[in-house]
Amino acid sequence: MALQARYEDVPLETKQHLFDQVKADARFDSYLYGCYECGICVAACPSARFYDFSPRKIAQAAGRQDLPMFYEQLNDDIWNCSQCFSCTRCPRGNNPGGLITIMREVAINNGLSSAKHALEGYGRVVYKIMSTGTQVSPDMLQPNAFPDWGPHVQEISDNLELWRRALPPDTLHTTSTAWEVDDRTLTELYLIWHMTGVLDMIKSVDMGLHMILNDVMEELLDEAGYTAD
Amino acid sequence: MPETVLVIGGGPAGLEAARSVAAIGGRAILVERRGVLGGTPDESSYAALTPRMGSAQDALDELRAGVADPAIDVRLETLVTGCSGSVGDFSVSLSGPGGESSERVGAIVVATGFQHFDPGRETQMYGYYEYPDVITLPDAEKMLKEHTFVRPSTGEPPRNVAFIQCVGSRDRRIGNEYCSKVCCGVASKEAIEIRRLLPDTKVYIFYIDMRMYGYWENEIYWPAQEQYNVTYIRGIVTEIVGKDGRLLMKGEDTTMGRPLEVLMDVIVLSVGMEPSRGTRDVAGILGVDQNKYGFIATPGEPMDPVSTSVPGIFVAGAAAGPKDLEDTIGMAGSAAIRAVAAVRGQAPAQPAAAR
């Protein structure tokens, strides 16, 4: 359709195959009706203010089944969404953020290199949340602990207390005040990660992380009478 | 004083106006240029009506049955050739198969309708007279009436079909600055019918604004988009050129912010409404004012949409400007009541806007 498109070297069949997976998702029909192109989703979108990102275009490309544009978005746009779902104020009842959730899952399940790249920086966060069942707190933000958090991590961690006073968050959780997760809850969480396919998803983007998580979970699951795979 | 109302035009507006005159105890003479009643929906082979997809012929049959009444004198193949007198006592000359005749009537309802814009005219060409696969809404309607939709050049079903909206409407350059009101709905209706007939065909609608007010919104626009996957692209096509036996369409996808070129197999021009030849002629014969586009002027709008510049002469339907059938039928009833009241010398006080 468009005169210029990125990824022209990728065969249309590949794009169609990935689009079909998104469309086949059980949530798709309730996330996309039709689009007026009114722009209320973009107006509400925090990411759209900082990136070249438009939830409207996500909904439009999916509605039009515009495969070249869909494939561009699958690689270049969907990781700019913060998944806040402000876009659900759509008058047609669309959920562009929900479409992005599905697209992210398809990108990961198919091992797209753009997905791997986008998630590289989050390996330790994912490890922390999935292994302990509790949150990442700001005082963990140290260059040694999270060197993959970008070029400003040193500067931010040096003056963290100042930053936090300047931009007070609702809670001021730290490693010492975060809640403790008991073993039974953790066992259930591990089971959920396994049974819903989250671990398989991680496997397709980060083999190393998948191995470490499996090792951590194995013991507790064994004790509870489950086998880790 | 004659109790009779002359209704000019046997389309939906005229049929309903004549029926309404009889229903409230008046008498009507209904004159029609053609040999059959039904007007443009009949002459242009309308298939299914927007928005509810009911059969046009069934709807027209109902209207035709309404004028089978001893109080209604139907004159086919008849033209109005002259008019004199004033409200309550007009003398009109009619020319029909039996020759010339003169009738005295108390009031007149003009229901002479519209004609589809001719896309060959002036600048908005789009190759209508050059490429057989560039057609208009009524051309598509003819095929859909036969439950088929093919490329006229080959007789094969098309892979890609595009509608171009506002052809002959909303264009200062060609003088038609108004919106023709129904084309968005009719194009969407035809798009649905094409998708039903040809589930593998992609159908696009290129538009400036989609204007489907009221219930046309959820009865036509949403289903077209949501159930039938008709693709709406905001942007008007600049030109169409032939390429390898297909049609290359150039335009801008304005909401995506990029130029586009697409190959189409059939392009349907959504032509708007212009005053019919009959409307222009009858306006001159009756001496009623026309607006700058040639439609019958209605100086009493918005509260009085049926009075013309001449007392005792009323207008109904698309003779007064673009109208859908709902508005046409409502207007016809109103014009009939006003005409009968004028005949009986009980014309209601003119609304403030008309004074």
Side-chain angles (χ1 to χ4, degrees):
Chain A
M1 167 72 65
L3 286 175
Q4 319 96 343
R6 297 189 292 273
Y7 305 108
E8 268 177 353
D9 51 320
V10 177
L12 202 62
E13 297 74 54
T14 306
K15 297 172 181 177
Q16 180 80 57
H17 178 67
L18 292 165
F19 182 80
D20 288 346
Q21 288 182 33
V22 170
K23 197 157 187 273
D25 190 283
R27 293 163 290 183
F28 185 88
D29 285 345
S30 61
Y31 284 180
L32 181 65
Y33 297 93
C35 178
Y36 283 134
E37 307 173 15
C38 69
I40 195 170
C41 54
V42 178
C45 174
S47 295
R49 298 186 65 173
F50 297 99
Y51 304 108
D52 181 10
F53 170 74
S54 162
R56 164 175 63 81
K57 291 183 176 178
I58 299 283
Q60 277 179 257
R64 297 175 179 185
Q65 310 200 5
D66 184 328
L67 299 176
M69 177 166 272
F70 162 79
Y71 191 78
E72 286 179 19
Q73 293 173 343
L74 192 65
N75 284 280
D76 303 339
D77 294 316
I78 56 173
W79 302 104
N80 287 335
C81 166
S82 60
Q83 294 280 283
C84 69
F85 299 100
S86 300
C87 50
T88 53
R89 62 195 62 183
C90 170
R92 291 287 279 275
N94 296 330
N95 180 351
L99 290 175
I100 289 171
T101 309
I102 301 173
M103 288 168 76
R104 285 182 175 184
E105 290 172 13
V106 167
I108 292 169
N109 286 335
N110 287 273
L112 260 58
S113 57
S114 55
K116 288 181 186 168
H117 179 71
L119 294 174
E120 265 166 16
Y122 297 94
R124 280 156 202 263
V125 181
V126 171
Y127 170 75
K128 163 74 177 155
I129 292 170
M130 288 183 64
S131 60
T132 65
T134 189
Q135 66 189 344
V136 176
S137 63
D139 59 342
M140 292 176 187
L141 197 66
Q142 292 155 17
N144 294 340
F146 293 98
D148 45 4
W149 269 21
H152 300 295
V153 67
Q154 178 73 51
E155 182 193 337
I156 293 171
S157 58
D158 282 350
N159 297 299
L160 188 65
E161 277 307 304
L162 185 67
W163 284 106
R164 296 194 81 194
R165 281 201 299 276
L167 300 165
D170 286 347
T171 63
L172 288 165
H173 279 309
T174 64
T175 38
S176 56
T177 59
W179 62 83
E180 202 170 317
V181 179
D182 70 34
D183 277 1
R184 185 162 169 229
T185 305
L186 211 47
T187 305
E188 285 176 357
L189 269 176
Y190 289 177
L191 281 173
I192 290 169
W193 304 139
H194 272 283
M195 294 172 76
T196 57
V198 170
L199 273 171
D200 293 338
M201 222 185 253
I202 287 169
K203 197 175 183 179
S204 64
V205 286
D206 192 337
M207 287 285 276
L209 176 61
H210 181 258
M211 244 166 60
I212 297 166
L213 280 171
N214 248 341
D215 286 348
V216 171
M217 293 179 183
E218 202 172 9
E219 193 186 341
L220 205 59
L221 287 175
D222 275 350
E223 277 171 26
Y226 299 97
T227 49
D229 42 18
Chain B
M1 191 177 280
E3 267 274 329
T4 304
V5 174
L6 173 70
V7 178
I8 308 171
L15 289 166
E16 177 64 10
R19 190 195 68 81
S20 301
V21 165
I24 54 174
R27 293 195 303 117
I29 298 172
L30 175 62
V31 298
E32 164 56 41
R33 165 181 62 86
R34 298 165 68 225
V36 288
L37 296 172
T40 301
D42 178 76
E43 190 172 16
S44 292
S45 305
Y46 289 7
L49 296 179
T50 313
R52 295 190 184 159
M53 303 285 201
S55 150
Q57 282 303 331
D58 289 354
L60 291 175
D61 282 345
E62 252 178 70
L63 289 176
R64 291 181 187 117
V67 298
D69 185 308
I72 303 172
D73 176 3
V74 177
R75 312 268 186 99
L76 297 175
E77 295 175 27
T78 299
L79 297 174
V80 177
T81 55
C83 176
S84 60
S86 60
V87 56
D89 193 10
F90 290 104
S91 176
V92 291
S93 310
L94 303 178
S95 171
E100 307 287 321
S101 66
S102 182
E103 301 287 345
R104 290 181 68 202
V105 297
I108 299 171
V109 174
V110 181
T112 44
F114 74 100
Q115 66 190 27
H116 299 101
F117 175 76
D118 177 354
R121 212 181 83 182
E122 308 204 6
T123 47
Q124 290 219 24
M125 302 282 290
Y126 289 131
Y128 180 65
Y129 290 107
E130 188 179 353
Y131 305 113
D133 296 334
V134 177
I135 63 174
T136 62
L137 284 181
D139 295 335
E141 197 72 24
K142 273 197 189 69
M143 284 198 269
L144 293 167
K145 195 176 183 184
E146 305 302 322
H147 305 288
T148 181
F149 192 81
V150 296
R151 300 177 64 190
S153 64
T154 63
E156 298 293 316
R159 276 178 289 166
N160 285 340
V161 177
F163 289 78
I164 302 176
Q165 297 306 112
C166 300
V167 176
S169 302
R170 307 175 70 194
D171 191 328
R172 183 172 275 140
R173 288 174 311 138
I174 60 168
N176 294 351
E177 293 154 335
Y178 51 85
C179 165
S180 288
K181 273 190 172 176
V182 301
C183 335
C184 285
V186 173
S188 298
K189 182 217 70 154
E190 289 186 359
I192 289 174
E193 291 174 293
I194 293 166
R195 290 277 299 149
R196 281 180 179 168
L197 282 169
L198 306 169
D200 296 328
T201 298
K202 288 211 82 169
V203 181
Y204 301 85
I205 296 182
F206 292 84
Y207 66 93
I208 305 175
D209 307 285
M210 288 315 291
R211 296 185 160 186
M212 283 178 278
Y213 47 88
Y215 300 121
W216 286 30
E217 175 76 29
N218 54 312
E219 290 181 359
I220 284 288
Y221 185 17
W222 289 14
Q225 208 177 28
E226 297 178 6
Q227 289 167 34
Y228 294 95
N229 295 109
V230 175
T231 299
Y232 288 84
I233 296 179
R234 188 180 178 284
I236 286 297
V237 172
T238 49
E239 68 172 321
I240 295 166
V241 291
K243 191 184 178 188
D244 307 328
R246 300 177 79 194
L247 300 165
L248 182 69
M249 185 180 207
K250 297 177 181 178
E252 190 198 359
D253 184 340
T254 60
T255 62
M256 292 293 197
R258 54 183 187 173
L260 57 82
E261 287 184 4
V262 216
L263 276 173
M264 293 290 165
D265 302 298
V266 174
I267 294 176
V268 186
L269 306 180
S270 289
V271 290
M273 293 189 189
E274 292 194 320
S276 67
R277 175 81 190 277
T279 291
R280 293 177 190 275
D281 289 350
V282 165
I285 291 163
L286 301 182
V288 296
D289 289 349
Q290 293 166 266
N291 64 22
K292 65 186 283 199
Y293 313 113
F295 290 107
I296 307 290
T298 46
E301 285 200 316
M303 304 313 272
D304 176 5
V306 298
S307 289
T308 69
S309 61
V310 177
I313 302 182
F314 303 91
V315 61
K323 296 281 178 299
D324 61 21
L325 283 166
E326 294 94 313
D327 288 352
T328 293
I329 298 298
M331 219 178 152
S334 173
I337 288 172
R338 296 289 295 276
V340 171
V343 167
R344 292 175 182 166
Q346 297 162 353
Q350 293 262 305
R355 274 187 237 123

